[in-house]
Amino acid sequence: MKILLANPRGFCAGVDRAIDVVELALQIYDTQLYVKHAIVHNDHVVQRLEEKGVTFVEHVDEVPTGGRVVFSAHGSPPSDYAKAKELGLDVIDATCPLVTKVHLEARRYAKEGYTIILVGHRGHVEMRGTMGEALEQTHLVESAAEVDALQLPSDTKIAVLTQTTLAVDDTRETLAEIKKVFPQAVLPPASDICYATTNRQAAVKKLAAQCELIIVVGSKSSSNTNRLVDVAQAQGATAHRVNSVQEIDPAWLQDVQTVGVTSGASAPDDLVQEVVRWLQQHGGDEPTLVTAVDEQVWFDLPSDIKQAAADHGVDTDIVTKHRIGTNQQMKV
Ligand code: SF4
């Protein structure tokens, strides 16, 4: 059985940065560290940080007055920052810069009097943050069908924004419907669907063209992981999401000549390596890397944590070196 391994896959620059922020904060400060929401949507990452002493909370008011809290990579509404200020919290902001970009666009459009159509998943924490920038002026739609149900006067000034981790193809359909119903709508820049989402979907498409079975490593709560499964299935492959190797059903391998492995942007690569080893123990060859894009992206740390690290004599170059290692991806 052939094993094909997607490149790129796994940690994106926003996830790397968010985890590094928490790791650095743990090194720098000796007081209890809180993180609002799962820092990234991966159960293993959260569990590993909990073992290092981090307390995860869902709401700002669960952090004791005067405490220190990291805001997760998915972004937070302005009301969370206001609440934190009221409670005298020290906020370390690990919001991915690409999510921040969408927030800034929402803020600008709202100020200019636009009604915003936000394409995304209802209930996803990123949407809560983006909507919070202009709650009264924003309509969330999940699909092309929901666009048709919008009751807006025909001359409404409309701007469209998207969740960063949607399937590129699904967005295309919804955006086309918006343009059909509201020709005056200003569509978002293509870059609002983040590079990592786009690249991982391109890689899984390449895998799906050559594999009967695709295993996607990532947590159920991870939007971009679920989209990878959708994209593989849309290409005609059988695709399963697993949190870790323990969730693989050996029956999936029946009659499979070629199996593909990839992972969502918040899944640590050691979990992928475990899956590959398991496949090899079940008749798989040495894995072959299938590259869609040579991805070399990383984001600088937030300036406040960099300054705090410098003040405490903690070397942030170590972080940079580790990230370069991550970007080189698989050691096949
Ligand atoms: Fe940022 Fe994209 Fe990663 Fe989300 S998937 S954290 S938007 S880089």
Side-chain angles (χ1 to χ4, degrees):
M1 180 176 63
K2 274 198 206 162
I3 304 174
L4 304 184
L5 200 50
N7 181 36
R9 65 172 186 283
F11 279 6
C12 60
V15 163
D16 255 334
R17 176 179 183 266
I19 295 171
D20 288 343
V21 164
V22 178
E23 297 274 8
L24 277 173
L26 283 169
Q27 275 188 61
I28 295 168
Y29 303 112
D30 50 15
T31 50
Q32 178 62 48
L33 185 66
Y34 293 82
V35 174
K36 181 179 70 71
H37 195 67
I39 183 74
V40 300
H41 282 157
N42 185 272
D43 301 342
H44 292 268
V45 170
V46 168
Q47 192 191 330
R48 287 169 189 180
L49 290 173
E50 274 175 341
E51 284 163 9
K52 291 182 179 181
V54 171
T55 300
F56 286 88
V57 296
E58 272 313 306
H59 305 287
V60 179
D61 54 14
E62 293 170 61
V63 182
T65 303
R68 180 167 286 113
V69 61
V70 178
F71 280 4
S72 79
H74 315 94
S76 302
S79 56
D80 281 3
Y81 292 90
K83 187 77 196 169
K85 197 171 173 195
E86 197 185 308
L87 293 171
L89 305 182
D90 180 8
V91 175
I92 306 168
D93 194 353
T95 304
C96 173
L98 299 184
V99 176
T100 301
K101 176 175 166 282
V102 178
H103 277 235
L104 293 176
E105 285 165 2
R107 219 176 285 172
R108 177 171 62 82
Y109 280 130
K111 208 167 148 197
E112 291 172 4
Y114 282 85
T115 292
I116 298 167
I117 300 179
L118 182 60
V119 183
H121 290 293
R122 207 159 274 120
H124 190 279
V125 68
E126 183 187 323
M127 294 297 85
R128 180 177 167 263
T130 312
M131 285 191 81
E133 294 290 351
L135 208 48
E136 308 278 293
Q137 285 159 261
T138 307
H139 299 266
L140 182 71
V141 295
E142 289 198 326
S143 63
E146 287 191 14
V147 174
D148 300 333
L150 284 174
Q151 307 268 333
L152 295 171
S154 58
D155 60 346
T156 310
K157 266 172 78 173
I158 292 174
V160 186
L161 294 174
T162 53
Q163 185 176 334
T164 54
T165 47
L166 293 178
V168 180
D169 294 342
D170 289 354
T171 322
R172 197 173 295 125
E173 195 189 315
T174 310
L175 294 183
E177 189 63 15
I178 293 173
K179 205 62 189 166
K180 194 174 111 196
V181 180
F182 305 106
Q184 77 278 26
V186 181
L187 294 185
S191 57
D192 278 6
I193 298 289
C194 98
Y195 80 94
T197 303
T198 308
N199 293 350
R200 278 149 194 71
Q201 289 176 13
V204 83
K205 262 189 195 172
K206 259 188 122 167
L207 282 194
Q210 304 172 57
C211 301
E212 297 96 357
L213 171 69
I214 307 275
I215 296 175
V216 181
V217 182
S219 289
K220 196 176 177 185
S221 54
S222 163
S223 175
N224 75 82
T225 301
N226 294 323
R227 297 291 78 72
L228 290 177
V229 173
D230 296 344
V231 169
Q233 286 172 343
Q235 300 295 307
T238 299
H240 296 286
R241 181 198 60 76
V242 296
N243 232 335
S244 66
V245 70
Q246 283 79 16
E247 293 181 2
I248 299 178
D249 181 349
W252 296 344
L253 300 183
Q254 204 175 351
D255 301 327
V256 169
Q257 306 296 317
T258 310
V259 55
V261 184
T262 187
S263 53
S266 47
D269 211 53
D270 58 293
L271 301 177
V272 175
Q273 313 265 356
E274 278 175 21
V275 168
V276 170
R277 276 195 293 277
W278 184 92
L279 288 169
Q280 287 181 295
Q281 285 157 9
H282 288 75
D285 302 335
E286 276 294 303
T288 306
L289 207 56
V290 173
T291 299
V293 180
D294 179 23
E295 188 175 281
Q296 296 292 336
V297 180
W298 67 280
F299 299 140
D300 202 3
L301 289 165
S303 52
D304 49 357
I305 194 87
K306 261 174 100 169
Q307 187 57 54
D311 294 347
H312 288 77
V314 174
D315 183 7
T316 53
D317 280 354
I318 293 166
V319 168
T320 313
K321 278 179 201 139
H322 133 77
R323 288 203 204 158
I324 289 166
T326 312
N327 280 344
Q328 281 170 350
Q329 298 287 329
M330 184 61 177
K331 313 94 187 176
V332 267

